[in-house]
Amino acid sequence: MATEHDKAVLQAIFNPSTPFGDIPGINQEEELTEDDSSFDPDLVRRVKSLELQGVSAAESGDIQAALKHFNQAIELLPRRASAYNNRAQTRRLQGDTTGAIVDLERAISLSGGAGRSACQALVQRGLLLRLANRGDEARQDFERAARLGSEFARQQAVQLNPYAALCNRMLAEVIDKLRNPDLADAQ
């Protein structure tokens, strides 16, 4: 049976673009859930139904109908983060990046920085910040989402970390020289 250290070494060899010691899935949280227990269950069911209708409308290209459904969900349960995440995506599709970021910040705040909604909002905001060339802020969001269990966010954080990229490149060169000692002597 391989130890955690063995797994980390193998990870570095086969995936040199990840930080040493990071093993995809090993630090990943169990399936993230939302704690809706503080809300009326009937309202939660109605809000989830509105959100599903909004997602369906957005997927079919009816952005206005999607916004209407998400706005209704927010009106019914303004302290529940999920609808803000969904509305942010719809606003992004509409080209309203500023409005999307405002909704994502609201989702992060309402979720207390934990659970599925926080993780999704951090990833979404990180992507928007990255597109806006705000790499340091994007990396911070990806790192927070990675701590919540998002493998995608972890990969994005690594890509945005210049020190990790340099270390990984150096490690890949060392490993390559170990694999091919004859080529290393020729250089």
Side-chain angles (χ1 to χ4, degrees):
M1 183 95 175
T3 67
E4 295 306 316
H5 178 65
D6 294 338
K7 291 176 186 176
V9 170
L10 290 172
Q11 174 66 17
I13 292 169
F14 295 115
N15 297 299
S17 64
T18 61
F20 185 74
D22 278 4
I23 304 164
I26 200 159
N27 296 323
Q28 206 147 8
E29 296 290 322
E30 293 297 317
E31 183 69 25
L32 291 173
T33 59
E34 293 302 320
D35 181 12
D36 288 332
S37 63
S38 63
F39 303 117
D40 177 307
D42 291 331
L43 278 179
V44 170
R45 277 192 288 283
R46 287 177 50 201
V47 164
K48 285 182 177 182
S49 174
L50 286 167
E51 287 184 66
L52 286 173
Q53 292 172 47
V55 169
S56 293
E59 287 174 348
S60 69
D62 191 349
I63 303 300
Q64 293 308 314
L67 284 172
K68 178 182 160 211
H69 291 299
F70 297 135
N71 287 336
Q72 288 173 336
I74 289 168
E75 284 176 28
L76 284 174
L77 281 177
R79 306 280 312 151
R80 188 170 180 273
S82 178
Y84 290 95
N85 270 342
N86 289 317
R87 188 171 73 179
Q89 280 304 311
T90 306
R91 285 182 165 177
R92 185 193 56 78
L93 289 172
Q94 201 176 33
D96 180 8
T97 303
T98 303
I101 289 175
V102 167
D103 276 349
L104 294 170
E105 289 172 352
R106 184 74 174 143
I108 293 165
S109 172
L110 288 172
S111 66
R116 177 181 293 139
S117 289
C119 189
Q120 288 174 345
L122 287 163
V123 169
Q124 291 173 40
R125 187 174 70 177
L127 290 169
L128 290 174
L129 292 171
R130 188 172 188 184
L131 288 173
N133 293 318
R134 293 165 59 185
D136 287 340
E137 294 168 88
R139 184 178 42 78
Q140 290 172 4
D141 278 355
F142 290 136
E143 287 172 352
R144 287 178 62 193
R147 285 192 296 273
L148 291 173
S150 171
E151 180 65 24
F152 174 79
R154 187 191 63 76
Q155 293 169 359
Q156 294 300 306
V158 169
Q159 288 178 7
L160 289 172
N161 184 333
Y163 301 110
L166 178 62
C167 290
N168 289 334
R169 191 167 37 253
M170 290 169 48
L171 180 61
E173 289 173 12
V174 168
I175 291 170
D176 191 43
K177 287 178 184 178
L178 290 172
R179 284 182 179 160
N180 303 302
D182 296 333
L183 294 176
D185 294 334
Q187 295 176 353

